Amino acid sequence: MQLKYKMMIIVAGVLALAVCKKNDNGTSQQAGQQAMPVAAIKVTAQDIPLSFEFPGRAQGSKEVQVRARVGGILLKRNYTEGARVNAGDVLFEIDPAQYKVALDKAKAQLAQSKAQLLSAQQDWDRIAKLFKQKVVSEKSKDDAQASLDSAKAAVQMAQAQVDEAQLNLDYTTVTAPVGGLTSLETQSEGSLISATGSDSLLTQITQIDPVYVIFSASENEITSLISMGEKGLIKADSGCTTNSCRKIKAKLKFSTGDTYKEIGDVNFINPTIDENTGTVKLRAVFPNPDGRIKPGQFVRLVMEGITRLNALVVPQEAIMQGSTGSFVYKINDKGLVEIANITTGLSTADKGWIIDSGLKDGDVVITSNLMKLRAGMPVAPQIAAEQATTAGVDE
């Protein structure tokens, strides 16, 4: 009986060892199966040219209303409506007859005042000499001085009237204050026009070379750029040494998809934010010698000339959203999955995101099988070949 009992113990021990060995083998196999194959990339700091695209609308760099500065009969229009004119070209002629008469009258008054001044000067010279000889009284001297001063003032007044009359006569010839395209005339030849009110408007001139493109950027975009600039994360045109090349460059795209051949500059950023839209208005200026861009035309503006320094970019598909915000799965030195909470910045044209915080140069980020991953899981990464990101920011 005792022998039988011992045999049972030995058999039980052998079975237990077998089961343990089997379980150990199963655990090892299971551990090997849990090293999930995943695609991954190694993030590398690099300088990325930024590019922003916005809808915009063209307008003339100068839009001038041409108005009559004197009233009268409109005798002649000297330009073709809608044609390009140059600064100084004669556009309209107003009947000058009454202004010629006024000028002649003012000149006659000036001549009379000068004659009176000459007489007063002679009287003063004579009285002053006699006063030194104590022949005339001090009152006579003072009266002569006053007459001379009054005559001088009368000449100045008469000269001013001549200048005014000449100016009004000159205004009867209406010239173009700037070069550009003319609009339809608002007053026909033969019309009586005035120098005030709506009747004074004759036409409008729009200067289209250069041409402006007005566009708006969101408050977040502008704030982000300012913040990056303060942190030294961006700079204008790497290697640039002159003020002209440090400007933010701009390109235009038409509705047809064609790109305008001339390069422009962003030359104005509104210091205030539109309360209704939450956007900031900006302006770019473009050469337009051929008139290819028309005022009022809708275009797409591409803003360039800014480089994001030491940027870490990950593919869009690698970024997950959780209760605490955005995160990615990265692989630590032991080959295990870790969760990295990140702050995303600008997106790139090749569907990537610039990471402002949460990753460092050299981190390995998982890009596939994301829904199956958990922190602490072992993975077998297949790291994609590093590619330099040169695409701009996609807005």
Side-chain angles (χ1 to χ4, degrees):
M1 182 69 179
Q2 187 175 5
L3 179 60
K4 184 178 180 181
Y5 180 72
K6 289 181 178 180
M7 290 297 294
M8 291 177 64
I9 292 176
I10 292 172
V11 172
V14 172
L15 292 174
L17 288 174
V19 170
C20 290
K21 185 175 181 181
K22 182 178 180 180
N23 288 340
D24 289 343
N25 290 336
T27 301
S28 299
Q29 294 174 1
Q30 185 178 8
Q33 293 173 355
Q34 287 180 347
M36 180 184 300
V38 293
I41 62 165
K42 184 177 181 180
V43 293
T44 304
Q46 53 190 301
D47 294 347
I48 299 178
L50 303 182
S51 175
F52 305 84
E53 187 168 330
F54 306 96
R57 190 170 187 177
Q59 71 174 40
S61 53
K62 291 182 180 179
E63 297 181 350
V64 180
Q65 292 183 336
V66 180
R67 292 182 177 272
R69 303 179 72 171
V70 292
I73 300 298
L74 185 61
L75 295 181
K76 189 177 181 182
R77 171 169 56 83
N78 295 314
Y79 72 96
T80 301
E81 295 169 294
R84 184 191 292 265
V85 296
N86 299 316
D89 287 353
V90 176
L91 304 181
F92 298 94
E93 295 178 21
I94 300 171
D95 186 1
Q98 61 177 321
Y99 300 103
K100 288 181 179 179
V101 171
L103 177 60
D104 291 341
K105 182 178 180 180
K107 287 180 177 180
Q109 182 64 46
L110 175 61
Q112 183 179 6
S113 297
K114 286 182 176 179
Q116 292 174 347
L117 173 60
L118 178 60
S119 177
Q121 183 67 53
Q122 292 172 345
D123 289 345
W124 164 252
D125 293 340
R126 185 168 51 255
I127 294 297
K129 184 177 181 180
L130 293 175
F131 180 75
K132 288 181 180 180
Q133 297 174 357
K134 298 182 179 181
V135 175
V136 297
S137 65
E138 185 172 354
K139 183 178 183 305
S140 297
K141 184 198 74 166
D142 292 342
D143 290 344
Q145 179 69 62
S147 297
L148 178 61
D149 292 341
S150 178
K152 289 180 179 179
V155 169
Q156 292 178 340
M157 176 65 74
Q159 182 63 58
Q161 292 174 343
V162 169
D163 293 341
E164 181 181 16
Q166 182 65 61
L167 195 61
N168 288 335
L169 179 60
D170 293 341
Y171 285 158
T172 61
T173 301
V174 182
T175 60
V178 296
L181 297 179
T182 56
S183 68
L184 292 172
E185 67 173 6
T186 59
Q187 301 285 351
S188 301
E189 295 173 340
S191 299
L192 176 61
I193 59 177
S194 68
T196 59
S198 59
D199 289 342
S200 65
L201 180 62
L202 301 177
T203 188
Q204 298 186 66
I205 299 176
T206 302
Q207 188 177 71
I208 62 171
D209 184 24
V211 68
Y212 287 156
V213 174
I214 307 300
F215 62 102
S216 296
S218 70
E219 177 184 357
N220 291 336
E221 290 165 341
I222 297 300
T223 302
S224 178
L225 284 175
I226 293 174
S227 176
M228 286 189 293
E230 292 173 346
K231 296 176 182 177
L233 297 178
I234 60 173
K235 67 176 181 179
D237 288 10
S238 178
C240 179
T241 58
T242 64
N243 289 332
S244 60
C245 64
R246 276 198 290 267
K247 293 180 179 179
I248 300 175
K249 300 299 181 182
K251 296 180 180 178
L252 286 183
K253 293 181 180 179
F254 299 110
S255 58
T256 58
D258 297 333
T259 300
Y260 185 53
K261 63 180 181 180
E262 301 286 353
I263 304 297
D265 296 316
V266 177
N267 67 346
F268 175 77
I269 300 177
N270 199 327
T272 60
I273 297 173
D274 190 312
E275 297 179 358
N276 297 322
T277 62
T279 58
V280 178
K281 184 173 290 186
L282 299 93
R283 184 183 69 197
V285 57
F286 289 85
N288 191 31
D290 301 328
R292 174 68 177 84
I293 305 173
K294 306 296 184 184
Q297 185 174 2
F298 287 97
V299 293
R300 299 289 298 181
L301 184 137
V302 181
M303 190 169 70
E304 298 179 332
I306 302 175
T307 300
R308 173 65 158 85
L309 303 177
N310 299 319
L312 301 176
V313 180
V314 300
Q316 192 175 48
E317 63 268 18
I319 299 176
M320 306 286 286
Q321 296 296 325
S323 58
T324 58
S326 301
F327 68 92
V328 296
Y329 289 115
K330 68 178 184 178
I331 305 173
N332 62 19
D333 296 338
K334 298 179 180 180
L336 302 179
V337 176
E338 286 186 359
I339 295 177
N341 294 314
I342 60 171
T343 301
T344 57
L346 300 170
S347 63
T348 64
D350 57 356
K351 306 304 180 184
W353 283 91
I354 297 175
I355 306 303
D356 288 341
S357 64
L359 292 177
K360 63 181 184 299
D361 188 24
D363 280 345
V364 178
V365 175
I366 301 172
T367 60
S368 68
N369 292 328
L370 301 179
M371 301 305 296
K372 300 178 182 179
L373 298 178
R374 297 293 182 272
M377 288 180 57
V379 290
Q382 297 178 354
I383 300 178
E386 295 183 9
Q387 296 180 351
T389 300
T390 58
V393 172
D394 184 24
E395 293 297 329

